[in-house]
Amino acid sequence: MLQSKFSNYSLECGTDEAGRGCLAGPVTAAAVILPDGFELPLLNDSKQLSEKVRLKLQSIIEQKATSFSVTHLEPKIIDEINILNASIKAMQECIFNLFPLPEYIIVDGNRFKSINAIPFSTIIKGDCKYMSIAAASVLAKTYRDDYMSTIHEEFPMYNWKKNKGYPTKEHREAIRKYGVTKYHRMTFRLLPEQLKFSLAELQVDNTINLK
């Protein structure tokens, strides 16, 4: 059963990200402050939930949360500062956009950097332990999935509507066949035999053939 609070602060925020291991699309973070007494029995780590349940929970979280925020950081930023720093930056931006600002932050994982000197704790598998982190996990996942479904319409050959940009066999075969897009992360290993690509080769409006 998920716990409601980690600290004794009234305004405690949970934050999490989605899409860290993807080859394409943004890393998306969410931050959530839940009211005292909040209960949502189905709430859990978003990876443990079906899409139908996640969407149902998203609606409830948005209605009931004291405050929530979601941020997408694009592949260009990921390539510039690396995925770890981009994930932290996305979570920081979410927290900064909350109103009111939290008095304490709990973060899924083991790495974070303080924002506005607000105290924080990192919690391994926090999305399976605390309600606010689980709620952030749900929002990050649903918002990112929706984003990937939108850009799927621009480049349907990669089937991002289904694979969400993760390194599936289907996705990598499409990269091999069609090249890469402005949504691909050029510093990631897009193909098993590939070491890296030069950012200078990136064409914003077209795919790049890797053959």
Side-chain angles (χ1 to χ4, degrees):
M1 183 175 178
L2 298 179
Q3 299 179 56
S4 59
K5 287 284 184 67
F6 175 84
S7 72
N8 293 322
Y9 289 89
S10 177
L11 294 175
E12 180 180 276
C13 153
T15 186
D16 197 6
E17 51 75 25
R20 186 167 168 174
C22 295
L23 303 181
V27 61
T28 301
V32 180
I33 299 174
L34 296 174
D36 291 338
F38 180 85
E39 293 184 2
L40 192 53
L42 291 177
L43 184 60
N44 201 348
D45 167 20
S46 63
K47 296 185 291 297
Q48 307 299 321
L49 305 171
S50 68
E51 180 179 12
K52 181 178 180 180
V53 170
R54 286 196 298 266
L55 291 172
K56 179 179 180 179
L57 293 177
Q58 175 191 347
S59 178
I60 297 171
I61 293 165
E62 291 178 345
Q63 291 175 31
K64 302 293 185 180
T66 300
S67 183
F68 73 90
S69 176
V70 180
T71 295
H72 300 295
L73 279 192
E74 303 301 330
K76 181 179 179 181
I77 299 176
I78 295 170
D79 288 330
E80 288 175 353
I81 65 176
N82 77 48
I83 186 60
L84 173 60
N85 288 327
S87 298
I88 292 172
K89 180 178 173 62
M91 289 188 283
Q92 289 175 325
E93 288 188 6
C94 285
I95 294 164
F96 189 75
N97 288 328
L98 292 174
F99 183 82
L101 283 175
E103 300 167 307
Y104 199 89
I105 302 165
I106 53 175
V107 184
D108 183 55
N110 61 0
R111 300 288 293 275
F112 192 65
K113 297 175 183 177
S114 179
I115 177 172
N116 285 12
I118 301 171
F120 70 89
S121 292
T122 56
I123 303 169
I124 302 296
K125 296 185 178 179
D127 49 6
C128 299
K129 299 174 182 177
Y130 292 94
M131 295 181 68
S132 62
I133 299 180
S137 171
V138 168
L139 293 189
K141 174 65 174 169
T142 53
Y143 273 76
R144 188 180 187 280
D145 283 357
D146 183 64
Y147 184 106
M148 296 305 295
S149 294
T150 299
I151 64 173
H152 165 88
E153 301 303 320
E154 188 176 352
F155 293 105
M157 67 281 276
Y158 300 95
N159 202 13
W160 290 330
K161 188 173 183 179
K162 180 179 179 182
N163 63 51
K164 311 305 182 189
Y166 281 91
T168 63
K169 181 178 179 181
E170 173 192 42
H171 188 185
R172 282 189 153 138
E173 285 303 314
I175 292 172
R176 191 186 306 278
K177 182 176 181 180
Y178 299 106
V180 297
T181 71
K182 61 187 178 182
Y183 298 112
H184 282 99
R185 302 174 184 179
M186 302 300 285
T187 53
F188 277 47
R189 192 172 183 178
L190 302 180
L191 295 176
E193 65 273 20
Q194 170 238 348
L195 295 178
K196 66 178 181 179
F197 295 105
S198 168
L199 287 175
E201 296 174 344
L202 184 60
Q203 298 176 7
V204 174
D205 296 320
N206 301 293
T207 58
I208 305 170
N209 195 308
L210 301 184
K211 295 179 181 179

